[in-house]
Amino acid sequence: QVSGRDRIGGLVGWSTGRIDNSYFTGQVSGTDYDIGGLVGRSGRDSRITDSYATAKVSGTSSVGGLVGELYRSGTIQSSYATGTVLGIGNTSSAGNNIGGLVGYHSGAIQSSYATGFVSGRYYIGGLVGYSSSYGDHAKINNSYATGNVSGRSNIGGLVGTNQGTITKCNAIGQVSGDDSIGGLVGWN
């Protein structure tokens, strides 16, 4: 079990390097942002390859089954997450940017997937909660999600809110919420 406030990961809290052929299993929880089953925050030019997490992950914002936040030129390739991911808390920013693989994403995801149940309030996705256009445009390619997804607004089977590029992806989980709900993307 790994727990703390922010930038909490099962293996690494904040990574700016390379992680290959690695995994974490267990439970990761944080009371603030950037909480991930493997890495809390994967920074600029970081790379995660052939790695996975089977953790139950919970936090307030930018929470992901594998990575809480994948920042700009960071990359995830051939990796996956299978655990339940929950956005928790009572403040107005609580339960936002929650994803089965990545909570907040502005990098590149290639040939990766998530299968866990994902729940939060806003910007909730089976694979990615919020795919941002900040800096380099976020890219998701040849990836998928199979878990059920629930929240209030901007809820998608693959991505909750997408401002980047999605190519050759799919989602098959049940999606539920109040508004801006989509089987693939909640808001594009």
Side-chain angles (χ1 to χ4, degrees), residues 19-137:
I19 297 172
D20 295 318
N21 297 302
S22 301
Y23 72 93
F24 176 82
T25 183
Q27 187 170 345
V28 180
S29 61
T31 58
D32 212 330
Y33 60 91
D34 293 351
I35 315 299
L38 191 73
V39 176
R41 181 176 186 172
S42 194
R44 186 187 301 249
D45 299 323
S46 63
R47 186 179 197 104
I48 299 171
T49 307
D50 296 316
S51 297
Y52 67 91
T54 61
K56 178 181 179 182
V57 185
S58 62
T60 301
S61 67
S62 297
V63 182
L66 190 74
V67 175
E69 178 178 352
L70 178 63
Y71 185 73
R72 295 180 76 172
S73 51
T75 303
I76 295 173
Q77 185 166 358
S78 302
S79 298
Y80 66 91
T82 62
T84 295
V85 183
L86 304 173
I88 59 172
N90 297 319
T91 66
S92 61
S93 63
N96 301 342
N97 306 333
I98 314 298
L101 190 76
V102 177
Y104 183 90
H105 163 250
S106 57
I109 297 173
Q110 170 76 32
S111 302
S112 297
Y113 66 91
T115 63
F117 170 70
V118 184
S119 178
R121 294 174 69 193
Y122 306 107
Y123 319 119
I124 315 300
L127 191 76
V128 173
Y130 196 110
S131 186
S132 172
S133 63
Y134 176 72
D136 302 317
H137 289 283

Side-chain angles (χ1 to χ4, degrees), residues 131 154 159-166 180-182 184-188:
S131 186
N154 295 42
V159 177
T161 292
N162 177 55
Q163 296 177 335
T165 303
I166 297 173
S180 298
I181 314 300
L184 190 71
V185 177
W187 186 89
N188 187 57

